[in-house]
Amino acid sequence: MEPIPELTTNVEGCALVFEGGGYRAGYTAGMSSVLLERGIYFPFVCGISAGASNTVNYLSRDRWRVRWAFVDLAGIPEAGGMLSALRGKGFINADYCYRGAVERGVAPFDWNTFVANPARLRVQAFERDTGRSVCWGKEDCPTVGDLIDRVRASSTLPWIMDPIELDGQVMFDGGLGAGAGLPLCLAEQEGYEKFLFLATRPLGYRKQPYTGATRRMILRLTADYPHLREAILTRAERYNTEMERIQRLADDGKCLIVRPDAMPVSSLTLDTNKLDASFYLGRTQALRDLPQWEEFLFG
């Protein structure tokens, strides 16, 4: 194997932040591919849920995997769908999509480049039984398996995916914890005051609280897990409050929020044609707006 050239970063003092959103994050994966093509490398990258996948794929600098995770993966029957759910493997088959895809060679992860990349990262998950938000960085991931397990933990939607247990705790989607799915706070915790935030919701989006039959179902399903119940039922309010705070940072010139022109897919879309179109819409928007991004990043 040829040695990995010494890797560097060229963006100073600015964090790259990936919002989650299941397969909606394929749109921002398209944007990530443009950043890599243009050689724009951040010193710190963070993400929650599907944004955690975008985070580690960007840091591995593997443009093939950036796209695979949100387009090609959905077309593999073992990866999910109603048949997978009926077989008890979850609508999204987490065993296959994360560690399984790496270990089977379906989607190798460029671990050597990831390790050689000097950029730091943070991904977040939520402990079901304590309500605690847990953040991880490279120092917590001595192997590729450890890394992929933490990306899975950050992405585990209740009742859609089978949870994973890490360090004696059952983990769920990091969007249930601090920031309510908006991971800019992870960069702030590391001292950053400037952010490029790749969002997966259009301008003006606000979450609506659960009501009626949906709320009653959540209360029933979470009867034994009060922290999980509280996180789910308060998420809309917390998300909206945090988005308003981030908008104030943008108004002050500290954050460039990149919102999708339109979002053609949902978090659980598995149609690869639609996902491919979404990925390339993200690329098109990034290429169009790149001069504005570079002005913000480099002056």
Side-chain angles (χ1 to χ4, degrees):
M1 179 182 297
E2 294 184 3
I4 301 288
E6 183 176 356
L7 302 184
T8 61
T9 62
N10 54 12
V11 176
E12 295 185 7
C14 183
L16 175 60
V17 180
F18 285 104
E19 186 178 8
Y23 278 102
R24 290 197 311 274
Y27 197 102
T28 45
M31 295 177 170
S32 175
S33 72
V34 171
L35 290 173
L36 291 174
E37 280 180 10
R38 297 303 174 96
I40 298 175
Y41 302 130
F42 288 76
F44 180 90
V45 190
C46 60
I48 289 176
S49 193
S53 291
N54 267 333
T55 293
V56 300
N57 289 336
Y58 168 84
L59 289 174
S60 75
R61 300 189 181 180
D62 184 344
R63 283 184 285 155
W64 176 85
R65 203 175 201 279
V66 164
R67 180 184 179 278
W68 175 88
F70 292 101
V71 179
D72 300 299
L73 172 62
I76 301 174
E78 295 89 344
M82 287 306 301
L83 186 58
S84 174
L86 291 172
R87 289 173 173 169
K89 297 182 180 296
F91 186 82
I92 302 297
N93 183 350
D95 288 339
Y96 182 92
C97 293
Y98 293 92
R99 188 184 276 249
V102 173
E103 292 180 346
R104 297 181 189 190
V106 176
F109 184 82
D110 191 341
W111 177 248
N112 291 333
T113 298
F114 174 83
V115 170
N117 191 333
R120 293 158 48 230
L121 86 149
R122 285 291 183 274
V123 299
Q124 175 178 289
F126 176 86
E127 290 184 351
R128 181 194 65 186
D129 298 331
T130 70
R132 190 169 69 106
S133 297
V134 181
C135 295
W136 296 296
K138 284 184 175 179
E139 64 276 10
D140 303 301
C141 305
T143 70
V144 64
D146 294 315
L147 176 70
I148 298 301
D149 283 348
R150 281 155 178 77
V151 172
R152 170 181 171 175
S154 181
S155 306
T156 300
L157 295 168
W159 311 299
I160 300 296
M161 298 164 59
D162 288 340
I164 187 172
E165 184 174 313
L166 295 175
D167 301 323
Q169 294 291 333
V170 175
M171 312 303 296
F172 276 115
D173 194 295
L176 296 172
L182 301 170
L184 190 135
C185 58
L186 304 185
E188 291 175 313
Q189 291 166 8
E190 298 299 313
Y192 283 87
E193 298 180 348
K194 184 177 180 180
F195 319 92
L196 177 66
F197 176 38
L198 302 187
T200 60
R201 293 291 195 179
L203 179 65
Y205 171 81
R206 293 295 184 270
K207 284 191 180 296
Q208 299 301 312
Y210 294 111
T211 59
T214 301
R215 180 182 175 89
R216 291 193 294 273
M217 181 181 67
I218 291 170
L219 290 172
R220 184 169 63 253
L221 291 173
T222 59
D224 296 329
Y225 308 111
H227 295 292
L228 179 62
R229 179 176 65 243
E230 176 73 9
I232 293 173
L233 294 180
T234 64
R235 189 182 175 203
E237 180 181 2
R238 293 184 293 117
Y239 178 99
N240 296 341
T241 298
E242 180 67 357
M243 181 55 79
E244 290 167 4
R245 187 184 75 85
I246 293 172
Q247 183 59 57
R248 290 194 294 271
L249 291 174
D251 294 341
D252 292 339
K254 297 178 180 178
C255 180
L256 178 59
I257 306 174
V258 179
R259 296 182 172 92
D261 291 336
M263 179 49 66
V265 300
S266 74
S267 61
L268 297 180
T269 295
L270 297 179
D271 184 321
T272 55
N273 290 325
K274 293 180 179 179
L275 294 171
D276 187 55
S278 180
F279 178 86
Y280 281 102
L281 282 173
R283 281 186 53 82
T284 299
Q285 182 176 338
L287 290 167
R288 182 196 70 200
D289 295 343
L290 195 60
Q292 178 192 6
W293 298 8
E294 291 177 331
E295 176 66 22
F296 178 77
L297 296 174
F298 303 114

